[in-house]
Structures are given as structure tokens and as C-alpha cells.
């Protein structure tokens, strides 16, 4: 039977979102062999005003993603993560589309993101979902481990 998910805004500091972000960090630390794989300022509640959590039918938080405004008309996807046992379920696409809807509501016309060279499945996902590779922007410029993408909304 297909799984259904609900997606809602939740406070950055809420326990389920913090748990998902910690799991993401642990996975990336293991992939990159260190905790020094994210250029720029780490996201916080102050600069990620939109944070979404996806929950399964049982109410368990299984995926998340946030939106960091950059300059007028542009924002960055931050902290997209899906628990490993829910990958392939379609929840990542639901979260990404919800982030895009939130971005449009805020007047964002171009959505940017950064992923890494050791995250090929993430890059495949974003390209499949209509994002295109772009030159690394902002804090990612010149970073060998970073791959940036964007999509006009």
C-alpha cells in the first residue's frame, strides 16, 4: 500500500527537526570523513524562516527541508534530508515541492542549492526535479566538494 505523508512548517528548534538535521550531519560526516564539509555560515532559526517536516501515516518525522532567503527574489534550499528507510518513497519530491511553494509565496523567483561531490544520489534527484547545475555561488564559490544547482520558479 502506498505511503502517504503530511508536510507542515515546524519551528527550527523542535525536537523532530533537530533529530533529522543531526542524522543528516552524521551521514555527511561519515561520507566526507570529517565535519568540515559545509562552507559558509551554518543555518539557524534566524536565517531559515521556513522549515518543513514530513511525517508518515503514524506521525513519525521522516524528512525535512528549509528555505534560506538570500537577496530579493532568491533563496537557498537548506537541510533537505530523508531518512534512509524512506528514500525512494516520493517524500523527498513532496518536501522539495512544498519548499518551492513556500518560496513562491515569499516572492522568490530563483531557488538555489548546494550539494556535494560525494552525494551523487542527491545530485541525480535535483537534476531529475528540474534543477540545473550552475557555477558555485556565494560561500560555495571555489569549493571543490560543492556542486550548486538552481531552478527558476
Amino acid at each position: 500500500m502506498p505511503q502517504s505523508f503530511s508536510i507542515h512548517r515546524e519551528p527550527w528548534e523542535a525536537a523532530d527537526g533537530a533529530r533529522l538535521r543531526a542524522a543528516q550531519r552524521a551521514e555527511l560526516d561519515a561520507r566526507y570523513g570529517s565535519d568540515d564539509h559545509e562552507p559558509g555560515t551554518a543555518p539557524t532559526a534566524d536565517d531559515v524562516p521556513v522549515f518543513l517536516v514530513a511525517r508518515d501515516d503514524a506521525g513519525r518525522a521522516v524528512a525535512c527541508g528549509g528555505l534560506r532567503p538570500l537577496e530579493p527574489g532568491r533563496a537557498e534550499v537548506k537541510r533537505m534530508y530523508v531518512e534512509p528507510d524512506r528514500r525512494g518513497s516520493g517524500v523527498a519530491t513532496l518536501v522539495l515541492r512544498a519548499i518551492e511553494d513556500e518560496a513562491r509565496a515569499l516572492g522568490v523567483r530563483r531557488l538555489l542549492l548546494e550539494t556535494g561531490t560525494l552525494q551523487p544520489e542527491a545530485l541525480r534527484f535535483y537534476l531529475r526535479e528540474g534543477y540545473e547545475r550552475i557555477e558555485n555561488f556565494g560561500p560555495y564559490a571555489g569549493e571543490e566538494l560543492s556542486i550548486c544547482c538552481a531552478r527558476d520558479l
Side-chain angles (χ1 to χ4, degrees), residues 1-5 55-58 86 89 94:
M1 184 165 96
Q3 182 88 66
S4 65
F5 302 95
R55 296 179 179 279
D56 64 14
D57 292 333
R86 297 307 169 93
S89 69
L94 295 173

Side-chain angles (χ1 to χ4, degrees), residues 39-108:
T41 306
T44 67
D46 293 333
D47 68 356
V48 181
V50 175
F51 189 72
L52 305 177
V53 173
R55 296 179 179 279
D56 64 14
D57 292 333
R60 181 169 164 249
V62 297
C64 64
L67 186 65
R68 175 190 266 173
L70 298 172
E71 64 256 6
R74 292 166 47 117
E76 180 181 4
V77 175
K78 294 302 291 182
R79 295 300 187 258
M80 272 286 295
Y81 179 74
V82 176
E83 289 190 327
D85 67 337
R86 297 307 169 93
R87 293 175 187 168
S89 69
V91 71
T93 300
L94 295 173
V95 170
L96 185 61
R97 294 295 174 243
I99 289 170
E100 292 169 350
D101 289 345
E102 293 278 355
R104 283 185 197 93
L106 294 173
V108 172

Side-chain angles (χ1 to χ4, degrees), residues 10-27:
E10 296 195 10
W12 177 266
E13 301 86 1
D16 285 332
R19 176 184 59 77
L20 291 168
R21 291 191 310 274
Q24 179 198 39
R25 293 298 302 182
E27 181 176 324

